[in-house]
Amino acid sequence: MHTSGQLDQLNKFQIPGQVAIGTGKGGLSRLLIHTPASEAEIYLQGAHVTRFQKQGEEALLFLSECSRFEPGQPIRGGIPIILPWFGNRPGSPAHGFARTSEWTLNETTALPGGGVRVVLTLPGATAGTSWSPFEARYTITVTDTLAAELTITNLSADTELPLENCLHTYFTIGDVDQVTVRGLKGIRFLDKVANFAEKIETGEEIRVTAEVDRVYLDTTDRVEIADPALQRRIRVAKSGSASTVVWNPWIAKAKAMADFGDEEYRGMICVESGNVAANQLKIPPGGSATLGVVLSSTRL
Ligand code: TA6
């Protein structure tokens, strides 16, 4: 959340007709982006993309009607940046501190053809923590697709940086009973609903008929979500990522989450791209690693 003075500082990043900066839900600062092909919304807290929607199409990203928009609370939906750890850690915020930290807006650029590029960095947030210092730089490119690139640089001169990262993307779907996910056949995964049991995906297509919470390992492949109800195919292309996570909370977990509607599990699925568990990164001193996704959709 920014004071009016700080918002004035942000005004220089506005681009008439393309990038507007203001106060969003809960008084949090956000960018509204308009391009000839799409619209997007990015909150500075967590550098959190909360909306991407192509003209004439349903929103590509799901955002819960019950999401919190409070300083220090994660937003439920869009693309949470999971960093520097994935999952729960006793005494620490689940999925790390990046998604609840205030990121710095560094650049907005109007691209040829009407697209917009936004760059944000996670500044000294790491200085106040027990983590060895790193810099996170996040580049979002909005066109008829949404590209997001997260570069982590190990600022230590002598210490390796062990780190998990994940772009925990929530997608809007028309009907969970009809949706299928392709691209993971033959891949080893940890089944979190079976106490992290290690399994191999045998299906060409994954369907959701109960809670699904699977961490697929050693896979760099593109994943596709077929959504007959919205007559849409969503493609999740990724780079710099060895892990893909597929999650739908289903009925009980949906009810248990205060910031998620009881029936919202029917209209969303997460396909997440990162490096988690056995795929965690070990960034050498002074080195960097870049995780990228390109999210797109076509008519079925
Ligand atoms: O990526 C799937 C997962 O790890 C699930 O286990 C569930 O916890 C989900 O992330 C959401 O986590 P959050 O901390 O945002 O409630």
Side-chain angles (χ1 to χ4, degrees), residues 74-76 80 82 86-88 93-95 99 166 168 170 192 211-215 245-249 253 257 259 270 272:
I75 295 169
R76 176 70 65 193
I82 307 304
F86 182 90
N88 297 319
H95 285 331
R99 65 175 177 170
C166 190
H168 190 299
Y170 289 69
K192 287 177 73 171
E211 181 183 358
V212 172
D213 195 347
R214 302 176 187 174
V215 179
V245 181
V246 178
W247 179 56
N248 181 286
K253 190 158 233 181
M257 294 190 287
D259 61 344
C270 283
E272 311 158 29

Side-chain angles (χ1 to χ4, degrees), residues 28 63 124 146 163 167 172 177 197 228 271:
L28 300 180
L63 183 66
L146 183 75
L163 176 128
L167 296 175
T172 297
D177 295 335
V271 174

Side-chain angles (χ1 to χ4, degrees), residues 233-254:
R233 183 183 309 282
I234 298 171
R235 286 199 174 90
V236 183
K238 64 177 191 171
S239 56
S241 162
S243 316
T244 293
V245 181
V246 178
W247 179 56
N248 181 286
W250 202 244
I251 300 167
K253 190 158 233 181

